[in-house]
Amino acid sequence: MSIKRILTFCIFSLSLAVVLWQCRTAPAVGPVQFDPVAVPYPELSDYAFFKSLGKDGAVPNTGVLPYAPITSLFTDYAHKARYVWMPDSVQATVNTEGRVIFPDHTVLIKTFYYPSDFRQPAHNQDLVETRLLMKRHGKWDAYTYIWNEADTEAELNLVGGFKDIAWTDEQGWARTVEYAVPNKNQCKSCHNQDKVLLPIGPKVRNLNAPYSYPDGTVDNQVERWQATGKLAAGNWAAQFAPLPDWDDPATGTVAERALAYLEINCGHCHHPKGPAHTTGLYLGTDFLGQPAQLGICKSPVAAGKGSGGRQFGIQPGQPDRSILVYRMEADDPGVMMPEIGRAVPHEEGIALVREWIAGLEGECGK
């Protein structure tokens, strides 16, 4: 056989092997693995939460239910995919405040990712991290898994890290950010109520909305949780009105949407049971009609550079003279709010808060 024929045969064989590899059937994924003694596992795939997970989205495993809060936390413009898993033998309940109370061995899963082009969010996603909140012996623990460059696996990481991210936004502009993955202790700074680690988003009023599920159906999330056995029976959807969507004017007034935004982004700390309770500044829809708690004409407990030379948390009609806006717009780590979870200001959220403050009437001290 000539050298030319040998080379042709080798190239053909190699090409055939590549085609067969590309067309191979993915190995079947077994049921979710969760051993409360053995977790956290070293790699995210060890849990089998997903049948597949890559640059074009995820296919959750049986029993892993996707969900989305009506208003969500801003994290440097990252997109987030959220899921809940719990053993079939248990159910969540709801307390009198509308907070979902999860049983032991529940896992809340949240993957942070950036589509290369935000105008096509379902494609070419850069996976950054997946955070797990898991409940054992009545207590929650937080664990972070950082994705490799190929987006083929995420490994357990307790110390955090940084990643340079680039994307094209909805207007076609090129954007970049140095994304910070929090360490284990930083997770506690947000998920802290009465010095106890708790989930932030899963409340009935923040889930009480339609969701398009992978099977093609559109259901109210609270009702789907009940239909799948994850949430106990009860007229929860009727009992707790939906939280406004900060970005949808049809869901509430400017004030209601601004306070919904502040509740999710700031209210876990600025709450009577939160780490910032000593400030007396409480941010959320529960305090609508309580101007002092919202910081309206309220002087800060501690002055300094965090006030930006401004006198009041919120000065009606004057966002540029309000400490709240100053700290939301700041990029100085010693000034900016929230303190962690962002490196850049959320321009659209700030514009809404500015609009709310600009529409407030009255003068401080009169």
Side-chain angles (χ1 to χ4, degrees):
M1 185 180 290
S2 67
I3 294 177
K4 182 177 180 180
R5 287 184 176 181
I6 292 173
L7 289 174
T8 301
F9 177 76
C10 291
I11 292 172
F12 172 77
S13 299
L14 180 61
S15 299
L16 180 61
V18 170
V19 170
L20 291 173
W21 182 86
Q22 291 176 334
C23 296
R24 74 196 190 286
T25 300
V29 175
V32 169
Q33 300 298 309
F34 185 83
D35 181 345
V37 177
V39 295
Y41 300 135
E43 295 183 334
L44 185 64
S45 61
D46 294 333
Y47 298 90
F49 287 134
F50 304 99
K51 294 179 179 178
S52 66
L53 179 58
K55 291 185 176 296
D56 288 332
V59 178
N61 203 348
T62 302
V64 178
L65 186 66
Y67 71 94
I70 296 172
T71 285
S72 63
L73 183 73
F74 171 75
T75 311
D76 285 337
Y77 291 100
H79 286 219
K80 301 166 187 177
R82 299 170 176 84
Y83 308 85
V84 58
W85 176 86
M86 64 183 70
D88 292 336
S89 58
V90 295
Q91 286 185 318
T93 59
V94 176
N95 69 8
T96 56
E97 298 174 349
R99 183 186 293 274
V100 178
I101 307 301
F102 293 97
D104 269 3
H105 306 163
T106 296
V107 184
L108 300 177
I109 307 154
K110 181 161 62 173
T111 294
F112 295 69
Y113 65 94
Y114 287 82
S116 62
D117 188 333
F118 277 24
R119 295 167 296 185
Q120 302 180 54
H123 302 291
N124 199 20
Q125 299 170 358
D126 181 8
L127 306 180
V128 183
E129 60 166 323
T130 296
R131 301 179 191 175
L132 304 182
L133 271 180
M134 55 182 68
K135 190 174 184 181
R136 296 175 293 174
H137 309 297
K139 296 181 179 180
W140 290 93
D141 280 313
Y143 297 101
T144 297
Y145 290 77
I146 297 182
W147 285 89
N148 60 24
E149 290 299 322
D151 291 337
T152 56
E153 184 61 274
E155 295 187 353
L156 179 65
N157 182 294
L158 303 180
V159 298
F162 295 90
K163 183 175 182 178
D164 292 326
I165 304 290
W167 73 94
T168 300
D169 68 17
E170 290 88 344
Q171 287 73 44
W173 293 98
R175 303 288 297 269
T176 61
V177 69
E178 185 182 48
Y179 182 96
V181 178
N183 62 47
K184 187 170 176 59
N185 288 329
Q186 286 175 316
C187 293
K188 297 177 182 178
S189 64
C190 289
H191 292 272
N192 188 337
Q193 294 282 305
D194 272 348
K195 300 181 180 179
V196 176
L197 190 73
L198 291 174
I200 296 173
K203 300 174 183 176
V204 172
R205 61 190 184 132
N206 207 16
L207 297 171
N208 194 1
Y211 183 87
S212 298
Y213 288 92
D215 62 6
T217 60
V218 178
D219 288 333
N220 178 283
Q221 294 186 99
V222 177
E223 294 173 356
R224 174 61 76 99
W225 283 39
Q226 291 177 308
T228 55
K230 297 190 181 302
L231 183 64
N235 200 16
W236 313 121
Q239 186 174 345
F240 298 97
L243 189 72
D245 179 349
W246 75 271
D247 199 29
D248 184 356
T251 64
T253 65
V254 170
E256 290 167 343
R257 291 187 293 116
L259 289 177
Y261 177 88
L262 292 171
E263 178 175 317
I264 296 301
N265 285 274
C266 314
H268 45 275
C269 284
H270 286 279
H271 185 274
K273 296 182 180 179
H277 69 278
T278 56
T279 65
L281 176 64
Y282 306 143
L283 299 172
T285 55
D286 288 344
F287 304 100
L288 185 63
Q290 301 180 48
Q293 277 67 41
L294 293 173
I296 297 174
C297 294
K298 179 183 181 302
S299 298
V301 172
K305 70 175 184 178
S307 69
R310 294 154 174 77
Q311 187 176 358
F312 303 108
I314 293 174
Q315 186 144 339
Q318 301 187 58
D320 285 326
R321 296 182 63 183
S322 299
I323 297 173
L324 178 65
V325 172
Y326 171 70
R327 302 197 73 169
M328 291 178 69
E329 293 179 337
D331 56 13
D332 180 341
V335 174
M336 70 183 194
M337 286 291 174
E339 296 176 311
I340 64 170
R342 74 165 182 88
V344 298
H346 187 194
E347 298 169 7
E348 296 79 4
I350 293 170
L352 175 63
V353 173
R354 278 182 159 275
E355 183 181 0
W356 168 53
I357 294 175
L360 292 174
E361 298 180 352
E363 294 185 37
C364 297
K366 293 187 180 181

